[in-house]
């Protein structure tokens, strides 16, 4: 049977696969480094990636039927772009079309490596003050006022969703072949990281979505026999998410609507506005809203209203069939990823826009080409099933080690395996180093009583602003208090105490603990691995 998706079998790589991975890597670099639509550098990155993936498609042998379907899908994506100005569908369709004969595991290795490096780099640059960041002062229910950090990304919610996607990359690469104890350990570490990220982002929706994803991973790891109710819940999970997001805001009234709207931080109200005040179209439209606060934070409302009914139906059917296929073939890791991302899409807009974070579309593309290859032996229409390649040479092997991304990912996993085998020792070293660093930090720094923010960040309209001079700001900082983004005497500053100060201090302490402990563990692990390699080399030379 002809293979639509290849698997890693050696250290060589075909020209066409190499081109796709380069295009995928370019987009990953842009998004992992916090770039977004509208920035000139991101527009250039996107154009380069799309050019490369189109070139890859010309090198790949598609059947005539596949060319017909892909041409129709690309035409619809262009039409949607013409109507809406939204580039997300066009990018996603092209990246799905380019998936044929590309190793899924290689894609995830590239994505994980870039996502991890970019995520940690942005966190370090912003936490150390080298790079400016975006933050907001929000009144969080049950917590009080909290300074929500984006840490290099466009919004705190985007920062938290980025962590969710990074967790999905990691869990896919770990796979289902590891022992249950290792899965529990990974899940605990991801939950701890989720708490740490929440201390900065303040994103309840991102925190809950990540917790739900980790729960799904553990659920599918330990559950093998499913009741009819569980099967129905799994197979119809996507339609339920869509009904809740699209029908719910219109049909629900009164107290029920108010409770859900409050739990989703006014997202239900905003969805109702778009669903009732904007036109429903087949291929999308441009919206005119009262002001910038009217945003679509639900992926399904965005797909249905912004991109149109036809793309909504097509993508919904493809994702439903992908979920069904993953469930029937016991691919539980990918099933956890798809359902986790579907759940996150209820309160976050990243699934179908230009965020390039929806890993479920990779699985959908793989499913479509794999399904096509399974019917390649059919006698129904041999002409349609004949392969057509527009450029030759795509199957030629490049005799290189694939490359840095794969090697870095393997090195990271070797580190993780070393730590897991001696986890008591490493966790002890992590804890001791973190506690020592926190103790030194508390000794050398004063605990602030107030955080001063400018008028753009201030959310509490009952606070009275203070016009501070440079001398005032210097005196406040010397006393140990925090002054953020002082712009001059003309812009009043607002002083927050209580939960805002406590959580800000907790951010600092947790970061000192985490970075110090991680650096210590990494150093010990690197030294131990180097020592083991030296011993093996000496033994080999002795033989």
């Amino acid at each position: 049977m002809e293979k639509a998706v290849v698997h890693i079998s050696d250290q060589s790589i075909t020209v066409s696969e190499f081109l796709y991975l380069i295009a995928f890597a370019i987009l990953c670099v842009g998004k992992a480094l916090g770039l977004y639509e509208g920035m000139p550098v991101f527009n250039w990155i996107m154009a380069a990636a799309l050019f490369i993936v189109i070139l890859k498609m010309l090198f790949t042998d598609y059947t005539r039927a596949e060319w017909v379907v892909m041409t129709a899908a690309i035409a619809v994506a262009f039409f949607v772009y013409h109507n809406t100005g939204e580039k997300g569908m066009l990018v996603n369709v092209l990246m799905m079309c380019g998936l044929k004969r590309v190793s899924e595991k290689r894609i995830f290795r590239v994505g994980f490596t870039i996502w991890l490096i970019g995520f940690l780099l942005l966190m370090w640059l912003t936490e150390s003050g080298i790079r400016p960041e975006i933050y907001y002062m929000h009144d969080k229910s049950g917590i009080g006022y909290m300074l929500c950090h984006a840490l290099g990304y466009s919004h705190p919610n985007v920062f938290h969703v980025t962590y969710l996607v990074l967790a999905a990359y990691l869990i896919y690469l770990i796979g289902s072949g590891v022992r249950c104890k290792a899965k529990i350990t990974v899940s605990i570490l991801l939950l701890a990281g989720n708490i740490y990220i929440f201390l900065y982002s303040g994103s309840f929706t991102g925190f809950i979505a990540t917790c739900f994803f980790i729960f799904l991973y553990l659920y599918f790891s330990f559950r093998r026999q499913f009741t009819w109710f569980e099967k129905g819940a799994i197979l119809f999970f996507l339609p339920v998410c869509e009904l809740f997001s699209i029908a719910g805001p219109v049909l629900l009234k009164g107290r029920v609507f108010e409770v859900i709207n409050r739990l989703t931080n006014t997202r239900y109200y905003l969805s109702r506005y778009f669903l009732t005040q904007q036109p429903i179209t087949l291929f999308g439209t441009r919206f005119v809203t009262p002001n910038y606060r009217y945003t679509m934070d639900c992926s399904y409302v965005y797909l249905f209203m912004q991109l149109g009914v036809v793309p909504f139906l097509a993508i919904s059917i493809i994702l439903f069939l992908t979920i069904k296929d993953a469930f029937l073939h016991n691919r539980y890791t990918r099933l956890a990823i798809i359902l986790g991302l579907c759940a996150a899409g209820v309160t976050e807009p990243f699934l179908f826009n230009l965020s390039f974070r929806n890993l479920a579309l990779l699985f959908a593309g793989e499913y479509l080409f794999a399904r096509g290859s399974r019917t390649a032996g059919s006698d129904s229409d041999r002409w349609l099933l004949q392969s057509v390649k527009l450029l030759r040479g795509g199957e030629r092997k490049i005799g290189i080690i694939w490359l840095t991304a794969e090697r870095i990912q393997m090195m990271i996993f070797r580190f993780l395996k070393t730590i897991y085998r001696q986890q008591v020792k490493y966790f002890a070293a992590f804890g001791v180093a973190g506690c020592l660093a926190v103790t030194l930090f508390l000794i050398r720094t004063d605990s602030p009583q107030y955080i001063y923010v400018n008028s753009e960040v201030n959310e509490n309209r009952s606070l009275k602003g203070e016009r501070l001079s440079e001398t005032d700001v210097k005196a406040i900082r010397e006393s140990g208090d925090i002054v953020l983004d002082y712009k001059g005497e003309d812009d009043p500053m607002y002083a927050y105490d209580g939960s805002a100060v406590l959580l800000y201090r907790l951010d600092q302490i947790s970061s000192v603990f985490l970075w110090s402990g991680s650096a210590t563990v990494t150093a010990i692990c690197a030294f131990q691995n180097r020592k083991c390699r030296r011993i093996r080399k000496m033994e080999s030379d002795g033989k």
Side-chain angles (χ1 to χ4, degrees), residues 62-81:
Y62 295 96
T63 65
R64 288 190 174 93
E66 287 169 344
W67 275 115
V68 170
V69 173
M70 290 192 305
T71 302
I74 294 170
V76 169
F78 264 112
F79 193 43
V80 170
Y81 170 65

Side-chain angles (χ1 to χ4, degrees), residues 54-98:
I54 291 172
L55 183 62
K56 183 269 173 192
M57 291 167 63
L58 298 179
F59 276 115
T60 305
D61 55 326
Y62 295 96
T63 65
R64 288 190 174 93
E66 287 169 344
W67 275 115
V68 170
V69 173
M70 290 192 305
T71 302
I74 294 170
V76 169
F78 264 112
F79 193 43
V80 170
Y81 170 65
H82 175 267
N83 290 345
T84 66
E86 297 290 314
K87 306 179 186 73
M89 184 175 177
L90 180 60
V91 172
N92 288 327
V93 166
L94 285 172
M95 294 305 291
M96 288 175 67
C97 290

Side-chain angles (χ1 to χ4, degrees), residues 138 155 157-158 161 203 205-206 245 264-272 274 287 292-303 306 342-353:
H138 284 321
H155 193 275
N157 288 353
V158 176
V161 167
S203 173
T205 54
S245 302
T264 57
N265 196 23
T266 72
R267 285 172 171 81
Y268 238 42
Y269 171 79
L270 292 170
S271 293
R272 173 183 282 182
F274 284 103
F287 294 142
Y292 72 95
R293 294 183 181 275
Y294 283 77
T295 58
M296 269 186 294
D297 285 337
C298 174
S299 294
Y300 304 108
V301 175
Y302 171 83
L303 178 61
Q306 183 86 71
C342 287
V346 173
T347 56
E348 300 296 341
F350 71 96
L351 288 186
F352 311 109
N353 62 15

